[in-house]
Amino acid sequence: MQLSSEQLQHYQDRGYLFLPNVFDRAEVEVMKAELPAVYGENSLGKIVEEDGKTVRIVHGCHTKSDIFKRLSQHPRIIDPVMQILGSAVYIHQFKISAKIAFEGDVWQWHQDYVYYKEEDGIPEPRIVNTAIFLDEVNEFNAPLMLVPGSQKEGLISVFTEEEQHNQYQDGPSWISRLTSKLHYIINKETLEKLVKQYGIVAPKGAAGSVLLFHPSCVHGSGANMSPFDRALVIINYNSVENTPKIPIKEQRPEFLASLNYTPIEPLSDEVLLV
């Protein structure tokens, strides 16, 4: 799957690109069949909401699920990502963002790259965030919102020392990247200025659609008050020319910041149903 010059320019200008119906219904059902096992696992990579039981996000699923491993090597994803970055790539991070119906909590406005730089030592934002829709994303189930073009502003995040909710108050420092209480956020005054200049978009579409977005593009999402689940597979691909070099205080766990920089070899196009 190759992007057109117009699509590449859209990504460069707007910081995101929405690709509808990349995977068909049968392929989506194969992926969704993996979710009960993913949500049921007991691991450090699984983070819950403030109620202590609702799954918020699960990391590193591609190391345990053959289906998600194949997905991470799928040419319909890998080819466009390598086009955008102009190099081979490896998986820096893989996660399932759950947003369970009625219970999924907010993601504050933020930029991903500040975490990759400050906590993982990645020198440049040569990363593509790839979100695969496992459910229909609509106006009701907390679609991901982006400020298009905001990646041009560079790093504009501010540090905040909000206390973690009760589940994680005594947790490790890396927890602050994963709960509803983030450490690096976009404050209200900055967001107002950005939205006045760039606006807000919320790409919506059928299950199987894919959203590519820049790691410095400001984004967030509201609580899911609807009766509709909104699960996303989010794979963060980094250029092999952009491996960590900046000194950091403490290495995050492997499921959050991979130390395997081996370039991904795309599989054949019909891999999920094999």
Side-chain angles (χ1 to χ4, degrees), residues 11 17 19 23 71 76-78 80-82 84 93-95 112 116 127-133 144 209-214 232-237:
Y11 183 90
L17 182 65
L19 303 172
F23 297 98
L71 175 66
R76 284 179 239 160
I77 298 174
I78 296 296
V81 167
M82 289 194 298
I84 289 171
Q93 200 175 85
F94 185 112
K95 56 211 173 196
D112 286 345
Y116 303 150
I127 298 169
V128 174
N129 295 341
T130 305
I132 300 99
F133 293 10
L144 186 68
S209 299
V210 172
L211 173 65
L212 309 175
F213 63 102
H214 192 284
L232 305 177
V233 177
I234 302 180
I235 312 173
N236 308 120
Y237 294 99

PDB file of all heavy atoms in Angstrom, residues 11 17 19 23 71 76-78 80-82 84 93-95 112 116 127-133 144 209-214 232-237:
ATOM      1  N   TYR A  11      -0.101  14.721   5.308  1.00  0.00           N
ATOM      2  CA  TYR A  11       0.512  14.338   6.579  1.00  0.00           C
ATOM      3  C   TYR A  11       1.537  15.382   7.023  1.00  0.00           C
ATOM      4  O   TYR A  11       1.566  15.783   8.198  1.00  0.00           O
ATOM      5  CB  TYR A  11       1.175  12.969   6.460  1.00  0.00           C
ATOM      6  CG  TYR A  11       1.775  12.488   7.759  1.00  0.00           C
ATOM      7  CD1 TYR A  11       1.023  11.743   8.657  1.00  0.00           C
ATOM      8  CD2 TYR A  11       3.091  12.800   8.100  1.00  0.00           C
ATOM      9  CE1 TYR A  11       1.562  11.319   9.861  1.00  0.00           C
ATOM     10  CE2 TYR A  11       3.635  12.388   9.306  1.00  0.00           C
ATOM     11  CZ  TYR A  11       2.869  11.647  10.183  1.00  0.00           C
ATOM     12  OH  TYR A  11       3.403  11.248  11.387  1.00  0.00           O
ATOM     13  N   LEU A  17      -3.007  11.628   8.949  1.00  0.00           N
ATOM     14  CA  LEU A  17      -3.616  11.129   7.719  1.00  0.00           C
ATOM     15  C   LEU A  17      -4.576  10.016   8.093  1.00  0.00           C
ATOM     16  O   LEU A  17      -4.197   9.067   8.794  1.00  0.00           O
ATOM     17  CB  LEU A  17      -2.546  10.602   6.756  1.00  0.00           C
ATOM     18  CG  LEU A  17      -3.057  10.084   5.406  1.00  0.00           C
ATOM     19  CD1 LEU A  17      -3.665  11.215   4.587  1.00  0.00           C
ATOM     20  CD2 LEU A  17      -1.919   9.418   4.636  1.00  0.00           C
ATOM     21  N   LEU A  19      -6.947   6.921   6.894  1.00  0.00           N
ATOM     22  CA  LEU A  19      -7.086   5.955   5.801  1.00  0.00           C
ATOM     23  C   LEU A  19      -8.272   5.038   6.123  1.00  0.00           C
ATOM     24  O   LEU A  19      -8.162   4.143   6.976  1.00  0.00           O
ATOM     25  CB  LEU A  19      -5.802   5.128   5.661  1.00  0.00           C
ATOM     26  CG  LEU A  19      -4.513   5.923   5.432  1.00  0.00           C
ATOM     27  CD1 LEU A  19      -3.303   4.992   5.523  1.00  0.00           C
ATOM     28  CD2 LEU A  19      -4.549   6.633   4.084  1.00  0.00           C
ATOM     29  N   PHE A  23      -8.454  -2.433   6.696  1.00  0.00           N
ATOM     30  CA  PHE A  23      -8.692  -3.851   6.981  1.00  0.00           C
ATOM     31  C   PHE A  23     -10.190  -4.138   6.888  1.00  0.00           C
ATOM     32  O   PHE A  23     -11.016  -3.312   7.286  1.00  0.00           O
ATOM     33  CB  PHE A  23      -8.161  -4.215   8.367  1.00  0.00           C
ATOM     34  CG  PHE A  23      -6.673  -4.036   8.494  1.00  0.00           C
ATOM     35  CD1 PHE A  23      -6.137  -2.890   9.071  1.00  0.00           C
ATOM     36  CD2 PHE A  23      -5.805  -4.998   8.005  1.00  0.00           C
ATOM     37  CE1 PHE A  23      -4.768  -2.723   9.170  1.00  0.00           C
ATOM     38  CE2 PHE A  23      -4.427  -4.834   8.091  1.00  0.00           C
ATOM     39  CZ  PHE A  23      -3.905  -3.693   8.677  1.00  0.00           C
ATOM     40  N   LEU A  71       0.043  -8.252  12.643  1.00  0.00           N
ATOM     41  CA  LEU A  71      -0.486  -6.922  12.339  1.00  0.00           C
ATOM     42  C   LEU A  71       0.634  -5.888  12.326  1.00  0.00           C
ATOM     43  O   LEU A  71       0.683  -5.026  11.440  1.00  0.00           O
ATOM     44  CB  LEU A  71      -1.537  -6.529  13.374  1.00  0.00           C
ATOM     45  CG  LEU A  71      -2.097  -5.109  13.267  1.00  0.00           C
ATOM     46  CD1 LEU A  71      -2.888  -4.927  11.977  1.00  0.00           C
ATOM     47  CD2 LEU A  71      -2.958  -4.771  14.483  1.00  0.00           C
ATOM     48  N   ARG A  76       0.238  -3.111   4.765  1.00  0.00           N
ATOM     49  CA  ARG A  76      -0.708  -1.995   4.637  1.00  0.00           C
ATOM     50  C   ARG A  76      -0.439  -0.915   5.685  1.00  0.00           C
ATOM     51  O   ARG A  76      -0.909   0.214   5.551  1.00  0.00           O
ATOM     52  CB  ARG A  76      -2.149  -2.508   4.760  1.00  0.00           C
ATOM     53  CG  ARG A  76      -2.651  -3.219   3.526  1.00  0.00           C
ATOM     54  CD  ARG A  76      -4.070  -3.725   3.711  1.00  0.00           C
ATOM     55  NE  ARG A  76      -4.130  -5.168   3.538  1.00  0.00           N
ATOM     56  CZ  ARG A  76      -5.105  -5.943   4.002  1.00  0.00           C
ATOM     57  NH1 ARG A  76      -6.110  -5.415   4.686  1.00  0.00           N
ATOM     58  NH2 ARG A  76      -5.088  -7.244   3.794  1.00  0.00           N
ATOM     59  N   ILE A  77       0.324  -1.265   6.701  1.00  0.00           N
ATOM     60  CA  ILE A  77       0.745  -0.285   7.708  1.00  0.00           C
ATOM     61  C   ILE A  77       2.201   0.116   7.488  1.00  0.00           C
ATOM     62  O   ILE A  77       2.540   1.295   7.444  1.00  0.00           O
ATOM     63  CB  ILE A  77       0.581  -0.850   9.137  1.00  0.00           C
ATOM     64  CG1 ILE A  77      -0.877  -1.170   9.431  1.00  0.00           C
ATOM     65  CG2 ILE A  77       1.116   0.131  10.169  1.00  0.00           C
ATOM     66  CD1 ILE A  77      -1.089  -1.866  10.758  1.00  0.00           C
ATOM     67  N   ILE A  78       3.057  -0.882   7.370  1.00  0.00           N
ATOM     68  CA  ILE A  78       4.500  -0.641   7.304  1.00  0.00           C
ATOM     69  C   ILE A  78       4.887   0.192   6.085  1.00  0.00           C
ATOM     70  O   ILE A  78       5.698   1.125   6.181  1.00  0.00           O
ATOM     71  CB  ILE A  78       5.265  -1.975   7.284  1.00  0.00           C
ATOM     72  CG1 ILE A  78       5.040  -2.734   8.589  1.00  0.00           C
ATOM     73  CG2 ILE A  78       6.763  -1.729   7.065  1.00  0.00           C
ATOM     74  CD1 ILE A  78       5.576  -2.026   9.801  1.00  0.00           C
ATOM     75  N   PRO A  80       3.225   2.548   4.217  1.00  0.00           N
ATOM     76  CA  PRO A  80       3.002   3.994   4.363  1.00  0.00           C
ATOM     77  C   PRO A  80       3.893   4.645   5.420  1.00  0.00           C
ATOM     78  O   PRO A  80       4.368   5.764   5.232  1.00  0.00           O
ATOM     79  CB  PRO A  80       1.520   4.085   4.765  1.00  0.00           C
ATOM     80  CG  PRO A  80       0.906   2.838   4.261  1.00  0.00           C
ATOM     81  CD  PRO A  80       1.968   1.790   4.396  1.00  0.00           C
ATOM     82  N   VAL A  81       4.129   3.929   6.527  1.00  0.00           N
ATOM     83  CA  VAL A  81       4.972   4.488   7.592  1.00  0.00           C
ATOM     84  C   VAL A  81       6.396   4.699   7.084  1.00  0.00           C
ATOM     85  O   VAL A  81       7.015   5.755   7.324  1.00  0.00           O
ATOM     86  CB  VAL A  81       4.945   3.566   8.827  1.00  0.00           C
ATOM     87  CG1 VAL A  81       6.054   3.950   9.808  1.00  0.00           C
ATOM     88  CG2 VAL A  81       3.588   3.647   9.527  1.00  0.00           C
ATOM     89  N   MET A  82       6.940   3.730   6.363  1.00  0.00           N
ATOM     90  CA  MET A  82       8.294   3.879   5.838  1.00  0.00           C
ATOM     91  C   MET A  82       8.355   4.973   4.771  1.00  0.00           C
ATOM     92  O   MET A  82       9.367   5.676   4.660  1.00  0.00           O
ATOM     93  CB  MET A  82       8.788   2.543   5.278  1.00  0.00           C
ATOM     94  CG  MET A  82       9.082   1.513   6.355  1.00  0.00           C
ATOM     95  SD  MET A  82      10.050   0.069   5.783  1.00  0.00           S
ATOM     96  CE  MET A  82       8.943  -0.628   4.560  1.00  0.00           C
ATOM     97  N   ILE A  84       6.581   7.735   4.853  1.00  0.00           N
ATOM     98  CA  ILE A  84       6.567   9.001   5.590  1.00  0.00           C
ATOM     99  C   ILE A  84       7.932   9.284   6.211  1.00  0.00           C
ATOM    100  O   ILE A  84       8.439  10.418   6.142  1.00  0.00           O
ATOM    101  CB  ILE A  84       5.471   8.969   6.677  1.00  0.00           C
ATOM    102  CG1 ILE A  84       4.080   9.026   6.025  1.00  0.00           C
ATOM    103  CG2 ILE A  84       5.640  10.129   7.662  1.00  0.00           C
ATOM    104  CD1 ILE A  84       2.935   8.779   6.995  1.00  0.00           C
ATOM    105  N   GLN A  93       6.799   1.123  20.492  1.00  0.00           N
ATOM    106  CA  GLN A  93       5.768   0.850  21.483  1.00  0.00           C
ATOM    107  C   GLN A  93       4.528   0.275  20.792  1.00  0.00           C
ATOM    108  O   GLN A  93       4.173   0.707  19.694  1.00  0.00           O
ATOM    109  CB  GLN A  93       5.406   2.143  22.215  1.00  0.00           C
ATOM    110  CG  GLN A  93       4.726   1.983  23.545  1.00  0.00           C
ATOM    111  CD  GLN A  93       4.546   3.348  24.217  1.00  0.00           C
ATOM    112  OE1 GLN A  93       3.582   4.048  23.962  1.00  0.00           O
ATOM    113  NE2 GLN A  93       5.490   3.720  25.071  1.00  0.00           N
ATOM    114  N   PHE A  94       3.885  -0.689  21.445  1.00  0.00           N
ATOM    115  CA  PHE A  94       2.663  -1.311  20.932  1.00  0.00           C
ATOM    116  C   PHE A  94       1.666  -1.367  22.082  1.00  0.00           C
ATOM    117  O   PHE A  94       2.002  -1.794  23.185  1.00  0.00           O
ATOM    118  CB  PHE A  94       2.966  -2.727  20.431  1.00  0.00           C
ATOM    119  CG  PHE A  94       1.797  -3.425  19.766  1.00  0.00           C
ATOM    120  CD1 PHE A  94       1.824  -3.694  18.407  1.00  0.00           C
ATOM    121  CD2 PHE A  94       0.689  -3.833  20.495  1.00  0.00           C
ATOM    122  CE1 PHE A  94       0.760  -4.343  17.783  1.00  0.00           C
ATOM    123  CE2 PHE A  94      -0.385  -4.468  19.886  1.00  0.00           C
ATOM    124  CZ  PHE A  94      -0.343  -4.734  18.525  1.00  0.00           C
ATOM    125  N   LYS A  95       0.422  -0.958  21.826  1.00  0.00           N
ATOM    126  CA  LYS A  95      -0.564  -0.955  22.909  1.00  0.00           C
ATOM    127  C   LYS A  95      -1.982  -1.069  22.356  1.00  0.00           C
ATOM    128  O   LYS A  95      -2.242  -0.728  21.201  1.00  0.00           O
ATOM    129  CB  LYS A  95      -0.435   0.321  23.741  1.00  0.00           C
ATOM    130  CG  LYS A  95      -0.549   1.605  22.938  1.00  0.00           C
ATOM    131  CD  LYS A  95       0.279   2.702  23.564  1.00  0.00           C
ATOM    132  CE  LYS A  95       0.315   3.936  22.678  1.00  0.00           C
ATOM    133  NZ  LYS A  95       1.381   4.867  23.054  1.00  0.00           N
ATOM    134  N   ASP A 112       2.941  13.147  22.316  1.00  0.00           N
ATOM    135  CA  ASP A 112       3.643  11.911  22.650  1.00  0.00           C
ATOM    136  C   ASP A 112       5.161  12.088  22.655  1.00  0.00           C
ATOM    137  O   ASP A 112       5.863  11.469  23.460  1.00  0.00           O
ATOM    138  CB  ASP A 112       3.277  10.808  21.655  1.00  0.00           C
ATOM    139  CG  ASP A 112       1.880  10.266  21.885  1.00  0.00           C
ATOM    140  OD1 ASP A 112       1.307  10.519  22.964  1.00  0.00           O
ATOM    141  OD2 ASP A 112       1.356   9.574  20.987  1.00  0.00           O
ATOM    142  N   TYR A 116       8.808  10.392  24.606  1.00  0.00           N
ATOM    143  CA  TYR A 116       9.840   9.621  23.907  1.00  0.00           C
ATOM    144  C   TYR A 116      11.211  10.292  24.047  1.00  0.00           C
ATOM    145  O   TYR A 116      12.233   9.615  24.111  1.00  0.00           O
ATOM    146  CB  TYR A 116       9.486   9.478  22.430  1.00  0.00           C
ATOM    147  CG  TYR A 116       8.142   8.847  22.168  1.00  0.00           C
ATOM    148  CD1 TYR A 116       7.408   9.176  21.034  1.00  0.00           C
ATOM    149  CD2 TYR A 116       7.596   7.915  23.048  1.00  0.00           C
ATOM    150  CE1 TYR A 116       6.165   8.602  20.788  1.00  0.00           C
ATOM    151  CE2 TYR A 116       6.359   7.342  22.811  1.00  0.00           C
ATOM    152  CZ  TYR A 116       5.649   7.692  21.680  1.00  0.00           C
ATOM    153  OH  TYR A 116       4.430   7.130  21.439  1.00  0.00           O
ATOM    154  N   ILE A 127       8.959   9.587  14.213  1.00  0.00           N
ATOM    155  CA  ILE A 127       8.094   8.491  14.659  1.00  0.00           C
ATOM    156  C   ILE A 127       6.728   8.701  14.016  1.00  0.00           C
ATOM    157  O   ILE A 127       6.284   9.841  13.864  1.00  0.00           O
ATOM    158  CB  ILE A 127       7.961   8.498  16.200  1.00  0.00           C
ATOM    159  CG1 ILE A 127       9.332   8.285  16.854  1.00  0.00           C
ATOM    160  CG2 ILE A 127       6.963   7.468  16.682  1.00  0.00           C
ATOM    161  CD1 ILE A 127       9.333   8.529  18.347  1.00  0.00           C
ATOM    162  N   VAL A 128       6.070   7.618  13.661  1.00  0.00           N
ATOM    163  CA  VAL A 128       4.683   7.700  13.202  1.00  0.00           C
ATOM    164  C   VAL A 128       3.822   6.892  14.163  1.00  0.00           C
ATOM    165  O   VAL A 128       4.070   5.707  14.394  1.00  0.00           O
ATOM    166  CB  VAL A 128       4.511   7.163  11.771  1.00  0.00           C
ATOM    167  CG1 VAL A 128       3.031   7.142  11.390  1.00  0.00           C
ATOM    168  CG2 VAL A 128       5.279   8.026  10.771  1.00  0.00           C
ATOM    169  N   ASN A 129       2.828   7.542  14.746  1.00  0.00           N
ATOM    170  CA  ASN A 129       1.842   6.862  15.574  1.00  0.00           C
ATOM    171  C   ASN A 129       0.760   6.303  14.655  1.00  0.00           C
ATOM    172  O   ASN A 129       0.179   7.040  13.851  1.00  0.00           O
ATOM    173  CB  ASN A 129       1.211   7.837  16.573  1.00  0.00           C
ATOM    174  CG  ASN A 129       2.210   8.355  17.588  1.00  0.00           C
ATOM    175  OD1 ASN A 129       3.264   7.767  17.788  1.00  0.00           O
ATOM    176  ND2 ASN A 129       1.881   9.459  18.233  1.00  0.00           N
ATOM    177  N   THR A 130       0.489   5.030  14.790  1.00  0.00           N
ATOM    178  CA  THR A 130      -0.443   4.346  13.909  1.00  0.00           C
ATOM    179  C   THR A 130      -1.579   3.763  14.737  1.00  0.00           C
ATOM    180  O   THR A 130      -1.336   2.898  15.589  1.00  0.00           O
ATOM    181  CB  THR A 130       0.264   3.212  13.140  1.00  0.00           C
ATOM    182  OG1 THR A 130       1.396   3.751  12.456  1.00  0.00           O
ATOM    183  CG2 THR A 130      -0.669   2.563  12.150  1.00  0.00           C
ATOM    184  N   ALA A 131      -2.797   4.228  14.520  1.00  0.00           N
ATOM    185  CA  ALA A 131      -3.964   3.750  15.268  1.00  0.00           C
ATOM    186  C   ALA A 131      -4.885   2.969  14.343  1.00  0.00           C
ATOM    187  O   ALA A 131      -5.381   3.508  13.351  1.00  0.00           O
ATOM    188  CB  ALA A 131      -4.713   4.927  15.884  1.00  0.00           C
ATOM    189  N   ILE A 132      -5.101   1.699  14.671  1.00  0.00           N
ATOM    190  CA  ILE A 132      -5.996   0.849  13.891  1.00  0.00           C
ATOM    191  C   ILE A 132      -7.309   0.732  14.650  1.00  0.00           C
ATOM    192  O   ILE A 132      -7.324   0.322  15.817  1.00  0.00           O
ATOM    193  CB  ILE A 132      -5.382  -0.547  13.661  1.00  0.00           C
ATOM    194  CG1 ILE A 132      -4.044  -0.434  12.902  1.00  0.00           C
ATOM    195  CG2 ILE A 132      -6.342  -1.437  12.870  1.00  0.00           C
ATOM    196  CD1 ILE A 132      -2.830  -0.501  13.789  1.00  0.00           C
ATOM    197  N   PHE A 133      -8.418   1.091  14.027  1.00  0.00           N
ATOM    198  CA  PHE A 133      -9.732   1.058  14.670  1.00  0.00           C
ATOM    199  C   PHE A 133     -10.230  -0.386  14.756  1.00  0.00           C
ATOM    200  O   PHE A 133     -10.428  -1.042  13.723  1.00  0.00           O
ATOM    201  CB  PHE A 133     -10.746   1.868  13.871  1.00  0.00           C
ATOM    202  CG  PHE A 133     -10.510   3.352  13.820  1.00  0.00           C
ATOM    203  CD1 PHE A 133      -9.340   3.926  14.286  1.00  0.00           C
ATOM    204  CD2 PHE A 133     -11.491   4.193  13.291  1.00  0.00           C
ATOM    205  CE1 PHE A 133      -9.143   5.303  14.229  1.00  0.00           C
ATOM    206  CE2 PHE A 133     -11.306   5.563  13.222  1.00  0.00           C
ATOM    207  CZ  PHE A 133     -10.137   6.120  13.689  1.00  0.00           C
ATOM    208  N   LEU A 144     -10.573  10.117  19.028  1.00  0.00           N
ATOM    209  CA  LEU A 144      -9.326  10.840  19.242  1.00  0.00           C
ATOM    210  C   LEU A 144      -9.424  12.202  18.555  1.00  0.00           C
ATOM    211  O   LEU A 144      -9.783  12.292  17.379  1.00  0.00           O
ATOM    212  CB  LEU A 144      -8.159  10.042  18.652  1.00  0.00           C
ATOM    213  CG  LEU A 144      -6.761  10.584  18.908  1.00  0.00           C
ATOM    214  CD1 LEU A 144      -6.392  10.466  20.379  1.00  0.00           C
ATOM    215  CD2 LEU A 144      -5.741   9.834  18.053  1.00  0.00           C
ATOM    216  N   SER A 209     -10.335   0.979   9.843  1.00  0.00           N
ATOM    217  CA  SER A 209      -9.688   2.202   9.362  1.00  0.00           C
ATOM    218  C   SER A 209      -8.401   2.444  10.150  1.00  0.00           C
ATOM    219  O   SER A 209      -8.206   1.903  11.244  1.00  0.00           O
ATOM    220  CB  SER A 209     -10.631   3.398   9.508  1.00  0.00           C
ATOM    221  OG  SER A 209     -11.804   3.206   8.748  1.00  0.00           O
ATOM    222  N   VAL A 210      -7.520   3.271   9.579  1.00  0.00           N
ATOM    223  CA  VAL A 210      -6.221   3.538  10.194  1.00  0.00           C
ATOM    224  C   VAL A 210      -5.976   5.044  10.238  1.00  0.00           C
ATOM    225  O   VAL A 210      -6.223   5.752   9.254  1.00  0.00           O
ATOM    226  CB  VAL A 210      -5.082   2.844   9.405  1.00  0.00           C
ATOM    227  CG1 VAL A 210      -3.713   3.280   9.924  1.00  0.00           C
ATOM    228  CG2 VAL A 210      -5.220   1.325   9.490  1.00  0.00           C
ATOM    229  N   LEU A 211      -5.494   5.513  11.363  1.00  0.00           N
ATOM    230  CA  LEU A 211      -5.122   6.912  11.545  1.00  0.00           C
ATOM    231  C   LEU A 211      -3.626   6.995  11.810  1.00  0.00           C
ATOM    232  O   LEU A 211      -3.119   6.385  12.764  1.00  0.00           O
ATOM    233  CB  LEU A 211      -5.894   7.519  12.722  1.00  0.00           C
ATOM    234  CG  LEU A 211      -5.514   8.934  13.149  1.00  0.00           C
ATOM    235  CD1 LEU A 211      -5.842   9.939  12.046  1.00  0.00           C
ATOM    236  CD2 LEU A 211      -6.233   9.316  14.440  1.00  0.00           C
ATOM    237  N   LEU A 212      -2.911   7.717  10.963  1.00  0.00           N
ATOM    238  CA  LEU A 212      -1.482   7.976  11.158  1.00  0.00           C
ATOM    239  C   LEU A 212      -1.325   9.393  11.678  1.00  0.00           C
ATOM    240  O   LEU A 212      -1.934  10.317  11.131  1.00  0.00           O
ATOM    241  CB  LEU A 212      -0.722   7.829   9.833  1.00  0.00           C
ATOM    242  CG  LEU A 212      -0.943   6.547   9.028  1.00  0.00           C
ATOM    243  CD1 LEU A 212      -0.205   6.635   7.686  1.00  0.00           C
ATOM    244  CD2 LEU A 212      -0.495   5.324   9.803  1.00  0.00           C
ATOM    245  N   PHE A 213      -0.510   9.597  12.729  1.00  0.00           N
ATOM    246  CA  PHE A 213      -0.310  10.968  13.192  1.00  0.00           C
ATOM    247  C   PHE A 213       1.069  11.173  13.788  1.00  0.00           C
ATOM    248  O   PHE A 213       1.713  10.254  14.292  1.00  0.00           O
ATOM    249  CB  PHE A 213      -1.415  11.416  14.151  1.00  0.00           C
ATOM    250  CG  PHE A 213      -1.530  10.658  15.450  1.00  0.00           C
ATOM    251  CD1 PHE A 213      -1.041  11.188  16.630  1.00  0.00           C
ATOM    252  CD2 PHE A 213      -2.181   9.425  15.504  1.00  0.00           C
ATOM    253  CE1 PHE A 213      -1.169  10.514  17.835  1.00  0.00           C
ATOM    254  CE2 PHE A 213      -2.321   8.735  16.702  1.00  0.00           C
ATOM    255  CZ  PHE A 213      -1.815   9.282  17.872  1.00  0.00           C
ATOM    256  N   HIS A 214       1.531  12.409  13.692  1.00  0.00           N
ATOM    257  CA  HIS A 214       2.867  12.826  14.108  1.00  0.00           C
ATOM    258  C   HIS A 214       2.955  12.826  15.632  1.00  0.00           C
ATOM    259  O   HIS A 214       2.008  13.237  16.315  1.00  0.00           O
ATOM    260  CB  HIS A 214       3.126  14.235  13.558  1.00  0.00           C
ATOM    261  CG  HIS A 214       4.529  14.703  13.646  1.00  0.00           C
ATOM    262  ND1 HIS A 214       5.095  15.126  14.834  1.00  0.00           N
ATOM    263  CD2 HIS A 214       5.495  14.837  12.704  1.00  0.00           C
ATOM    264  CE1 HIS A 214       6.341  15.499  14.616  1.00  0.00           C
ATOM    265  NE2 HIS A 214       6.612  15.331  13.331  1.00  0.00           N
ATOM    266  N   LEU A 232      -8.674   0.767  20.140  1.00  0.00           N
ATOM    267  CA  LEU A 232      -7.681   1.069  19.113  1.00  0.00           C
ATOM    268  C   LEU A 232      -6.433   0.249  19.375  1.00  0.00           C
ATOM    269  O   LEU A 232      -6.009   0.106  20.528  1.00  0.00           O
ATOM    270  CB  LEU A 232      -7.278   2.548  19.136  1.00  0.00           C
ATOM    271  CG  LEU A 232      -8.349   3.637  19.020  1.00  0.00           C
ATOM    272  CD1 LEU A 232      -7.682   5.004  19.148  1.00  0.00           C
ATOM    273  CD2 LEU A 232      -9.098   3.522  17.713  1.00  0.00           C
ATOM    274  N   VAL A 233      -5.833  -0.289  18.315  1.00  0.00           N
ATOM    275  CA  VAL A 233      -4.452  -0.763  18.390  1.00  0.00           C
ATOM    276  C   VAL A 233      -3.576   0.427  18.017  1.00  0.00           C
ATOM    277  O   VAL A 233      -3.782   1.039  16.969  1.00  0.00           O
ATOM    278  CB  VAL A 233      -4.184  -1.915  17.402  1.00  0.00           C
ATOM    279  CG1 VAL A 233      -2.712  -2.314  17.459  1.00  0.00           C
ATOM    280  CG2 VAL A 233      -5.066  -3.104  17.701  1.00  0.00           C
ATOM    281  N   ILE A 234      -2.630   0.778  18.870  1.00  0.00           N
ATOM    282  CA  ILE A 234      -1.743   1.902  18.582  1.00  0.00           C
ATOM    283  C   ILE A 234      -0.305   1.390  18.557  1.00  0.00           C
ATOM    284  O   ILE A 234       0.196   0.852  19.545  1.00  0.00           O
ATOM    285  CB  ILE A 234      -1.891   3.031  19.613  1.00  0.00           C
ATOM    286  CG1 ILE A 234      -3.347   3.523  19.645  1.00  0.00           C
ATOM    287  CG2 ILE A 234      -0.940   4.183  19.278  1.00  0.00           C
ATOM    288  CD1 ILE A 234      -3.608   4.632  20.638  1.00  0.00           C
ATOM    289  N   ILE A 235       0.324   1.546  17.385  1.00  0.00           N
ATOM    290  CA  ILE A 235       1.703   1.108  17.204  1.00  0.00           C
ATOM    291  C   ILE A 235       2.543   2.339  16.881  1.00  0.00           C
ATOM    292  O   ILE A 235       2.237   3.070  15.941  1.00  0.00           O
ATOM    293  CB  ILE A 235       1.834   0.078  16.075  1.00  0.00           C
ATOM    294  CG1 ILE A 235       0.769  -1.022  16.207  1.00  0.00           C
ATOM    295  CG2 ILE A 235       3.232  -0.539  16.087  1.00  0.00           C
ATOM    296  CD1 ILE A 235       0.722  -1.988  15.041  1.00  0.00           C
ATOM    297  N   ASN A 236       3.573   2.560  17.668  1.00  0.00           N
ATOM    298  CA  ASN A 236       4.457   3.703  17.465  1.00  0.00           C
ATOM    299  C   ASN A 236       5.736   3.209  16.793  1.00  0.00           C
ATOM    300  O   ASN A 236       6.548   2.523  17.409  1.00  0.00           O
ATOM    301  CB  ASN A 236       4.771   4.382  18.804  1.00  0.00           C
ATOM    302  CG  ASN A 236       3.514   4.718  19.587  1.00  0.00           C
ATOM    303  OD1 ASN A 236       3.339   4.243  20.699  1.00  0.00           O
ATOM    304  ND2 ASN A 236       2.630   5.493  19.015  1.00  0.00           N
ATOM    305  N   TYR A 237       5.890   3.557  15.523  1.00  0.00           N
ATOM    306  CA  TYR A 237       7.048   3.131  14.737  1.00  0.00           C
ATOM    307  C   TYR A 237       8.098   4.238  14.724  1.00  0.00           C
ATOM    308  O   TYR A 237       7.793   5.385  14.407  1.00  0.00           O
ATOM    309  CB  TYR A 237       6.638   2.828  13.298  1.00  0.00           C
ATOM    310  CG  TYR A 237       5.722   1.637  13.139  1.00  0.00           C
ATOM    311  CD1 TYR A 237       4.346   1.807  12.996  1.00  0.00           C
ATOM    312  CD2 TYR A 237       6.233   0.342  13.103  1.00  0.00           C
ATOM    313  CE1 TYR A 237       3.504   0.718  12.831  1.00  0.00           C
ATOM    314  CE2 TYR A 237       5.400  -0.750  12.936  1.00  0.00           C
ATOM    315  CZ  TYR A 237       4.033  -0.558  12.806  1.00  0.00           C
ATOM    316  OH  TYR A 237       3.190  -1.637  12.639  1.00  0.00           O
TER     317      TYR A 237
END
